[in-house]
Amino acid sequence: QRLLPSSDGSEVFRSPAAGALHTLVADHVIQGRVVFPGTGYLEMARAAASTGSKKPALHGVYFMQPLATETPELQVECAISGGRFDVRSGTLAADAALLGSMVVNCSGSFEYGSKGRENRASFAEVRGLRCVHAAEVGALYDAFHSVGLQYGPAYRTITHAWACGDAASGQLRARLLNQGTDVHPADLDDALCVGALTGGSGTSNETRLPFAVDDALLRGVAGKLWAVR
């Protein structure tokens, strides 16, 4: 992303949708279109709001409008101001300003120094439940595909999964390349997908996507990559 000059004190980071950004999300296909994942907005906002050792905690994040990345000349930008952020998109006019038809795709707030909510779970806890059973990962992705979540190989990172009622655990494939991110959107997206294995996920045949995130905070961790709900 490129930092743009601003007259109102805000910071604006802009990136063309084509090229590296499209490559990052090309396998996140919804109803036949490459749609920027909500987890990508979280990573974009976290990166834009990070300042040296100050790391932001995101709050009240809403995914407002889907962003299809194949639009010609599309630009995506993240604007940071007064503890809030907006991710918006549009095409460029002749003077390199975004056109008035710019769309806000994601919006939320952030703060520094927040420890976030402690809501820890472990694979050992899930494995210790008597009703736990191994889930068929291939069948999980087939079910997603049948309702329009047509993930390509880069967005199929769950290798093993287990479930028991309202608890589920999954192991993600080890990542060799982060493609310029601290948290690759595909990994966080599949962490959310594990929730489909829980008893409360429902059986609707509609295409269901998350529309909001209450809190998101990145902590440094070591070891294997796991997703636990």
Side-chain angles (χ1 to χ4, degrees):
Q1 292 179 328
R2 183 166 60 94
L3 179 61
L4 303 178
S6 173
S7 60
D8 60 3
S10 63
E11 291 186 313
V12 179
F13 299 85
R14 182 181 294 171
S15 175
L21 188 147
H22 180 76
T23 300
L24 186 70
V25 302
D27 276 351
H28 189 263
V29 180
I30 308 297
Q31 301 286 10
R33 304 180 71 188
V34 176
V35 175
F36 197 78
T39 55
Y41 297 129
L42 298 179
E43 171 65 5
M44 185 179 289
R46 180 210 60 75
S50 294
T51 305
S53 61
K54 296 169 65 176
K55 306 300 180 184
L58 308 181
H59 304 293
V61 181
Y62 285 88
F63 308 135
M64 313 292 287
Q65 292 288 337
L67 171 56
T69 62
E70 300 101 329
T71 304
E73 306 301 323
L74 182 70
Q75 302 285 318
V76 182
E77 63 181 34
C78 184
I80 302 293
S81 178
R84 292 200 57 82
F85 71 88
D86 290 308
V87 179
R88 53 207 187 196
S89 59
T91 54
L92 292 180
D95 60 357
L98 284 178
L99 294 176
S101 59
M102 183 173 58
V103 173
V104 176
N105 303 102
C106 176
S107 185
S109 63
F110 65 92
E111 63 178 340
Y112 301 109
S114 173
K115 294 183 178 180
R117 297 179 182 178
E118 290 292 336
N119 185 17
R120 295 180 177 271
S122 71
F123 168 65
E125 292 173 354
V126 176
R127 186 176 55 185
L129 298 174
R130 291 185 177 182
C131 63
V132 71
H133 64 274
E136 175 53 54
V137 174
L140 176 66
Y141 286 118
D142 287 345
F144 288 151
H145 192 279
S146 69
V147 294
L149 307 179
Q150 300 150 340
Y151 300 135
Y155 275 72
R156 295 185 174 218
T157 68
I158 302 173
T159 59
H160 300 83
W162 297 263
C164 177
D166 290 333
S169 177
Q171 184 175 8
L172 306 185
R173 183 175 65 240
R175 178 165 297 282
L176 299 178
L177 298 174
N178 278 348
Q179 296 179 270
T181 66
D182 278 4
V183 179
H184 196 288
D187 293 334
L188 190 52
D189 191 81
D190 267 335
L192 297 177
C193 285
V194 170
L197 298 172
T198 64
S201 60
T203 58
S204 171
N205 288 327
E206 296 178 337
T207 304
R208 305 178 66 186
L209 298 172
F211 65 89
V213 173
D214 289 336
D215 302 283
L217 176 65
L218 177 61
R219 290 188 176 95
V221 295
K224 291 184 177 180
L225 194 57
W226 291 88
V228 179
R229 170 171 173 166

